[in-house]
């Protein structure tokens, strides 16, 4: 991919990114997409560090992933990330991973907005350094879903206290930690014997060190839904399909 708005680089599937089956793990795949996005934003002078100097910060609200084939440990892939839409207050960013033969391994779409650090209010993307037009063609065209699962359909699986190692640069629970907590509703055997096909996550609230989270699960024909609650407040929702 050669458009100057596309950030592409080779990435090695190191031991830090694999699961117990020696493949790129599910949560680790999301982390690698996030890493590539961060470096893409750095290329465009709009990453979290630069925005904080201006008094703003990024909030990622939704992410959706389609898995076609997970690469194995020591494989090298090409990871590409690029902005595909700017609605004024929200942006969408696509990523695509390909193997050395050009076969698509994963595609992703992430939705984000910028907030004012002091007011925690949305900031128009026209007021910050960010692409306004001339976007590359989308590689992910499906819309985000609305999770219409009643609370009474969920069953609590376990509770988790947020510890200091779970906290990110915003002093809240790291987005990847939510996904790890959610995946814990499955056994290792299940994750080894079932290949993930689709994953969608909604970040619906913030949570902090010391808070107690309840992780709940609901199995439907179209996939498994996971919700994470802090007290009676939903902070995370996920749907996964194997």
């Amino acid at each position: 991919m050669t458009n100057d708005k596309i950030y592409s680089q080779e990435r090695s599937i190191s031991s830090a990114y694999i699961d117990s089956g020696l493949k790129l793990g599910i949560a680790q795949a999301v982390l690698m997409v996030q890493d590539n996005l961060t470096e893409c934003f750095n290329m465009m002078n709009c990453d979290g560090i630069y925005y904080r100097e201006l008094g703003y910060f990024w909030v990622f609200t939704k992410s959706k992933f389609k898995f076609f084939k997970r690469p194995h440990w020591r494989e090298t892939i090409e990871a590409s990330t690029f902005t595909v839409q700017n609605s004024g207050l929200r942006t969408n960013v696509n990523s695509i991973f390909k193997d050395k033969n050009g076969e698509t391994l994963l595609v992703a779409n992430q939705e984000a907005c910028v907030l004012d650090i002091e007011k925690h209010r949305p900031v128009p993307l026209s007021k910050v350094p960010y692409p306004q037009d001339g976007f590359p063609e989308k590689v992910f065209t499906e819309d985000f879903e609305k999770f219409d699962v009643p609370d009474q359909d969920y069953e609590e699986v376990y509770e988790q206290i947020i510890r200091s190692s779970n906290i990110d640069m915003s002093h809240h629970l790291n987005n990847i930690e939510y996904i790890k907590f959610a995946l814990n509703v499955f056994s290792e055997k299940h994750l080894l014997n079932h290949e993930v096909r689709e994953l969608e996550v909604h970040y619906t609230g913030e949570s902090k060190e010391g808070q107690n989270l309840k992780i709940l699960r609901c199995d439907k024909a179209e996939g498994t839904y996971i919700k994470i609650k802090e007290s009676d407040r939903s902070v995370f929702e996920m749907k996964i399909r194997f």
Side-chain angles (χ1 to χ4, degrees):
M1 306 181 79
T2 58
N3 188 298
D4 62 4
K5 286 187 169 65
I6 298 173
Y7 177 80
S8 294
Q9 69 166 323
E10 285 191 349
R11 287 192 173 274
S12 175
I13 308 303
S14 69
S15 60
Y17 284 90
I18 60 172
D19 61 13
S20 59
L22 305 184
K23 291 181 180 180
L24 177 64
I26 299 171
Q28 293 93 326
V30 178
L31 176 60
M32 188 170 281
V33 169
Q34 180 174 286
D35 283 350
N36 218 61
L37 181 147
T38 300
E39 291 168 31
C40 175
F41 278 14
N42 175 263
M43 177 188 75
M44 299 188 297
N45 296 316
C46 62
D47 64 12
I49 294 175
Y50 182 61
Y51 272 16
R52 283 184 173 273
E53 294 174 354
L54 301 177
Y56 310 118
F57 67 102
W58 280 108
V59 173
F60 287 85
T61 50
K62 296 177 182 178
S63 298
K64 193 166 186 174
F65 304 82
K66 277 186 173 293
F67 294 82
F68 301 99
K69 181 182 177 183
R70 284 189 290 153
H72 288 77
W73 184 24
R74 297 179 180 150
E75 282 191 49
T76 298
I77 66 170
E78 181 187 58
S80 301
T81 299
F82 44 94
T83 302
V84 296
Q85 186 256 1
N86 179 340
S87 69
L89 287 176
R90 293 184 184 273
T91 185
N92 285 90
V93 183
N94 280 189
S95 292
I96 182 169
F97 288 1
K98 294 184 178 182
D99 67 13
K100 62 182 180 181
N101 298 316
E103 180 181 356
T104 298
L105 304 171
L106 172 155
V107 291
N109 182 32
Q110 295 173 279
E111 178 187 88
C113 63
V114 175
L115 300 185
D116 183 282
I117 286 179
E118 293 184 358
K119 300 177 181 178
H120 275 230
R121 300 293 298 172
V123 175
L125 293 171
S126 59
K127 291 189 175 182
V128 295
Y130 195 74
Q132 303 296 315
D133 52 33
F135 305 120
E137 185 177 354
K138 297 178 181 179
V139 295
F140 201 117
T141 57
E142 290 186 14
D143 293 333
F144 291 107
E145 297 182 37
K146 184 177 181 181
F147 298 159
D148 290 322
V149 180
D151 279 350
Q152 60 266 26
D153 288 1
Y154 284 94
E155 292 187 3
E156 183 178 328
V157 179
Y158 74 102
E159 295 187 6
Q160 175 74 47
I161 296 176
I162 301 172
R163 303 298 189 186
S164 57
S165 62
N166 305 132
I167 301 301
D168 65 11
M169 63 184 291
S170 298
H171 308 291
H172 298 121
L173 180 63
N174 188 289
N175 285 354
I176 305 302
E177 297 297 311
Y178 282 112
I179 295 173
K180 290 180 178 179
F181 292 165
L183 290 172
N184 284 339
V185 306
F186 302 104
S187 68
E188 180 199 9
K189 182 178 180 180
H190 180 95
L191 294 173
L192 284 174
N193 293 331
H194 296 80
E195 196 61 51
V196 61
R197 299 301 175 194
E198 293 182 4
L199 178 73
E200 180 168 343
V201 297
H202 297 179
Y203 300 100
T204 56
E206 297 175 341
S207 49
K208 300 180 179 180
E209 181 182 1
Q211 291 181 330
N212 188 62
L213 303 180
K214 293 182 179 180
I215 291 80
L216 306 102
R217 170 178 178 167
C218 175
D219 292 294
K220 299 284 188 181
E222 65 272 20
T224 297
Y225 294 85
I226 297 123
K227 180 178 286 190
I228 298 180
K229 300 182 76 174
E230 190 278 314
S231 187
D232 292 327
R233 182 176 60 97
S234 173
V235 294
F236 176 86
E237 295 182 13
M238 181 173 105
K239 177 186 175 183
I240 187 167
R241 185 173 71 86
F242 294 99

